[in-house]
Each structure stands twice: as C-alpha cells, then as structure tokens.
Amino acid sequence: RTQKGSMKPVKKKKTEEPELEPLCCCEYIDRNGEKNHVAACLCDCQDLDEGCDRWITCKSLQPETCERIMDTISDRLRIPWLRGAKKVNISIIPPLVLLPVFLHVASWHFLLGVVVLTSLPVLALWYYYLTHRRKEQTLFFLSLGLFSLGYMYYVFLQEVVPRGRVGPVQLAVLTCGLFLILLALYRAKRNPGYLNPASSDRSLSSSQLELLNRKGQEKTKGFPGTDTSGSLNNRTAKDDPKGSSRMPAGSPTKAKEDWCAKCQLVRPARAWHCRICGICVRRMDHHCVWINSCVGESNHQAFILALLIFLLTSVYGITLTLDTICRDRSVFTALFYCPGVYANYSSALSFTCVWYSVIITAGMAYIFLIQLINISYNVTEREVQQALRQKTGRRLLCGLIVDTGLFG
C-alpha cells in the first residue's frame, strides 16, 4: 500500500513483544508453560494428593494416575542453576542411593550377600524389560554403570590400598584403565551414524512421497520386512554387500522397500529405524541401554574397545583385591573360599564388591563374546534377532551362534 499522492510505502509499526523476565536460580518454566519455583515442588499436586488418599484408604491406583504422578515428580525435580533451575532425570537417582546401601547390607553376613547379589541382576533385568517394552529412553543403566565404576574404585582406594599389598605401579595401571574406559565410553556414546533427512536421497516426486507415507502407516501384509514403527524393509543383503542401491533412486519399488515413514527418507542397506531413539541409524547393531544410545556404523569399534578395556581392567582389579584380602591363595580359590573374610567389615565389604564386579564382568563378557561372533559372521545383532523372529536363521552351538545366511 502507498499513501495518496505519494509513492512511498506505508511502514507498518512493529508490535513490541513484552520481554520475558529473567529467571532466578530457583525458578523454572514447567511443562504447562508457567513459571514455577523449586520451593513449591510439593504444592498444587492433585494427582499426588489423590494417590496418597487412595493409598491410605487401601484403594487401588489407576495406571494413568501413576503416570501423571511420575510425570509431575520428574518435572518438578530440579536443582538451582544459573538462569533457571535445571531438570534432573529421575532415573539416575536410584543407582546412586540403592547401590551403596545394598552392598553395605550384603557385607553384614554371607547369607545376606547371597540374597542381595542374586536380587540385583534380577531387579536390573526386570527394569530393563519394563523400559524396553515401553520403548522409552532411560539413564538408569548409564548411571548404574558409571557409578559402579566410581564406587568400586573408591572402595579399592579406601579399603584395599591402605593394606600395603598394592604398589604405586599397580595403582597407576588400574587408574589408567579406568580413564581409558571413560574415554572409550565417551567415544561410543557419540553419533552412532544417524541418518540426516536433509542429506538423504530426495529425488522422489511429491506423489511418490505421499503414496509411501500412506502405505508406511498402514498394516501391510505383502512384505515380510514390515516393521511395527511404520517402516518397510525387504532388502536382500547378498545383492548389495556395499550398501549401494539395488535399483535407481527414483524407482517406486526400491523406495517402497527402503522408505522410512517416521524419518521421511530412503534408508541405505542395513540401516534401521530405532524406535527408542526415534531416528534411523546406519548399519544399526542394537540399542545399548548401558550407553543410552544406539550402536551403529560410527561407534561400533569404540563400543567393542570399551568392552575390552573394561574386561581387562575389571579382571585386574579383582585380582589385586583378592590377593590383598585372601593372601596365599589363588584367585579362583579365594573367590569361592576365603575363610575369615566376614570377621572384618573392611574385608567383607571388599569381598562383596569383588563378587559384584564378577557378576557385572560376566555379563559384559557375554556381550563381548556375542559381538565377536556377530563380527565373525558379518551380521548385526538386529539382523540376528530378525532372522530368529522370521525363523530364517540356523542356531549353532546351543544357540550361541546364529547363522542368518545373509552374508556368507
């Protein structure tokens, strides 16, 4: 628009938006978009009040009410920080509190040690299947792993080193192993090879994209590689060992097979959509809860290296501890027969931590062995699980090895 008799355009006045007041260290914006305070974490929580009333009156709680209570608690659990309180993930707290308590209780008596050390893996597996079924990300296992490393090292410094059996060189080697584990974990937790929609093949026409999106959301029966997340995959790995396209990029058949309706892209061979991370990963092996990330093309080597360094460091630490608290006995004998170890609380705590480390080390050794077998057969863990579900793989050595027949 222009004013009458003038060629200059009329400038519209910009509406000045009210500036938001800066947050203090104890204030935050809650999930409802309202300003709240850390001190008011227990105020105005109708779901929590209702839950307490029903618990006092011995009435059952609805699952929806429990979920709302947990969402409210996770939203209000914050710590004061500059420019607003920071949210704390509630899943990292249980390992920090329960692990020292359980290990100290297990040090009181041999039978208590057996009960506690048996129940810990059962509880961890139960929580794993609970979160895995819901397809939710959790920091519980990452927190448990990191805190276990730190706490075992702390007990070693406080209870084992003062006895004088561990030299400076041995302590330095164990400390270097710990730092190498953390470095390898940091490298393994980085980008596993996420597929960026902007860098994928966008040569499909708009009509093809609309058709693929509609078919990706429907329950198809004609393709055996249908994924429950809405993506389709029916690739023949032998025809494309290098990951290149078997058909032209604009081919509807190729796009229909490799199209991911969630990420809106055409996936290369052996890539897969992770329903927990919500993104496609190149040569996806599996989603590892211990690093809270996927293991894919870019971080698989770092993941294997982290497992190897952990196994060597853990075995070395276990050997030093048993040699200190159970003298004149071999490591294997001291692990099962160490008389008088529960007479001293310091020795009992060290012995309990040794057995806890043995359980964790055995689990990681199994994962490491499975990874080596999969690498030798040139398959990923996801391809192994898919072959077992579709009954196209052959079990060898009592099921320890699964030959998918895809990459001979």
Side-chain angles (χ1 to χ4, degrees):
R1 291 186 309 168
T2 58
Q3 292 180 344
K4 191 173 183 180
S6 175
M7 299 300 293
K8 294 182 179 180
V10 178
K11 295 182 179 180
K12 296 182 179 179
K13 295 183 178 180
K14 296 183 179 179
T15 57
E16 296 182 357
E17 298 181 356
E19 296 182 358
L20 296 177
E21 297 181 1
L23 300 175
C24 75
C25 62
C26 295
E27 292 180 335
Y28 64 93
I29 305 299
D30 60 15
R31 57 178 179 168
N32 299 322
E34 300 176 355
K35 183 185 291 187
N36 210 330
H37 199 276
V38 174
C41 60
L42 299 178
C43 301
D44 299 331
C45 184
Q46 298 179 357
D47 295 325
L48 184 59
D49 295 339
E50 180 185 354
C52 292
D53 292 339
R54 298 184 69 89
W55 178 74
I56 293 174
T57 56
C58 299
K59 295 181 181 179
S60 61
L61 280 176
Q62 298 295 331
E64 296 80 7
T65 304
C66 295
E67 293 181 1
R68 289 197 300 268
I69 292 175
M70 294 304 299
D71 292 340
T72 303
I73 294 176
S74 61
D75 182 58
R76 297 186 179 185
L77 187 62
R78 297 173 183 262
I79 56 175
W81 203 257
L82 298 176
R83 298 181 181 179
K86 295 295 183 181
K87 187 176 180 180
V88 178
N89 195 311
I90 195 174
S91 61
I92 69 175
I93 298 179
L96 307 182
V97 178
L98 297 180
L99 181 62
V101 173
F102 283 163
L103 291 180
H104 280 276
V105 171
S107 304
W108 292 347
H109 195 269
F110 171 75
L111 295 180
L112 285 175
V114 173
V115 173
V116 171
L117 294 176
T118 305
S119 60
L120 281 178
V122 175
L123 292 176
L125 288 175
W126 170 80
Y127 187 77
Y128 167 75
Y129 284 111
L130 180 65
T131 55
H132 187 73
R133 186 175 66 251
R134 295 181 179 179
K135 306 301 178 185
E136 297 177 353
Q137 281 192 329
T138 177
L139 293 176
F140 175 85
F141 294 96
L142 179 60
S143 173
L144 177 62
L146 294 178
F147 186 66
S148 295
L149 285 174
Y151 191 70
M152 294 302 106
Y153 187 70
Y154 170 78
V155 172
F156 185 82
L157 293 179
Q158 294 293 321
E159 307 296 342
V160 179
V161 175
R163 294 173 180 261
R165 300 273 295 182
V166 179
V169 177
Q170 296 171 320
L171 180 61
V173 171
L174 188 66
T175 305
C176 289
L178 180 64
F179 278 105
L180 289 176
I181 292 173
L182 297 178
L183 183 62
L185 284 176
Y186 171 76
R187 179 62 184 86
K189 191 168 170 52
R190 296 177 62 184
N191 188 351
Y194 294 129
L195 284 173
N196 187 8
S199 62
S200 61
D201 188 1
R202 310 300 292 177
S203 60
L204 300 176
S205 63
S206 59
S207 60
Q208 289 175 335
L209 291 176
E210 183 179 356
L211 177 62
L212 291 170
N213 286 331
R214 185 168 62 250
K215 288 187 176 181
Q217 300 297 334
E218 297 174 355
K219 291 183 178 179
T220 55
K221 298 182 180 180
F223 304 96
T226 304
D227 183 64
T228 55
S229 62
S231 56
L232 299 177
N233 179 24
N234 191 23
R235 296 182 292 272
T236 304
K238 290 183 178 179
D239 297 337
D240 190 10
K242 296 183 180 181
S244 59
S245 300
R246 293 185 286 106
M247 300 181 184
S251 172
T253 305
K254 172 68 172 67
K256 182 169 58 177
E257 292 174 351
D258 295 341
W259 175 255
C260 178
K262 297 290 184 180
C263 299
Q264 300 288 298
L265 54 81
V266 178
R267 299 172 302 184
R270 309 188 77 176
W272 200 252
H273 182 87
C274 178
R275 290 175 289 179
I276 299 178
C277 295
I279 193 171
C280 288
V281 181
R282 293 181 182 274
R283 201 182 185 277
M284 177 178 172
D285 189 85
H286 68 287
H287 181 90
C288 181
V289 295
W290 294 104
I291 61 175
N292 193 33
S293 178
C294 290
V295 176
E297 184 180 67
S298 301
N299 66 341
H300 200 179
Q301 293 181 353
F303 178 73
I304 297 296
L305 182 62
L307 287 176
L308 178 60
I309 298 176
F310 172 79
L311 292 177
L312 295 177
T313 305
S314 180
V315 171
Y316 187 66
I318 291 171
T319 303
L320 291 178
T321 304
L322 289 178
D323 184 63
T324 301
I325 62 177
C326 298
R327 300 182 181 182
D328 303 329
R329 293 183 183 275
S330 64
V331 175
F332 185 78
T333 303
L335 187 62
F336 293 95
Y337 181 70
C338 186
V341 70
Y342 283 93
N344 185 356
Y345 183 76
S346 176
S347 300
L349 179 61
S350 302
F351 189 73
T352 303
C353 290
V354 163
W355 263 106
Y356 175 75
S357 301
V358 167
I359 295 174
I360 299 297
T361 304
M364 295 303 161
Y366 174 78
I367 297 175
F368 183 70
L369 178 61
I370 294 299
Q371 288 292 316
L372 292 183
I373 292 175
N374 291 343
I375 292 174
S376 64
Y377 278 80
N378 193 21
V379 294
T380 63
E381 183 64 22
R382 187 201 63 81
E383 292 167 349
V384 169
Q385 298 301 324
Q386 187 179 27
L388 292 177
R389 287 194 299 266
Q390 298 178 354
K391 299 181 180 181
T392 58
R394 295 186 301 113
R395 290 182 176 270
L396 305 174
L397 292 180
C398 301
L400 189 61
I401 300 176
V402 178
D403 184 10
T404 61
L406 296 178
F407 299 89

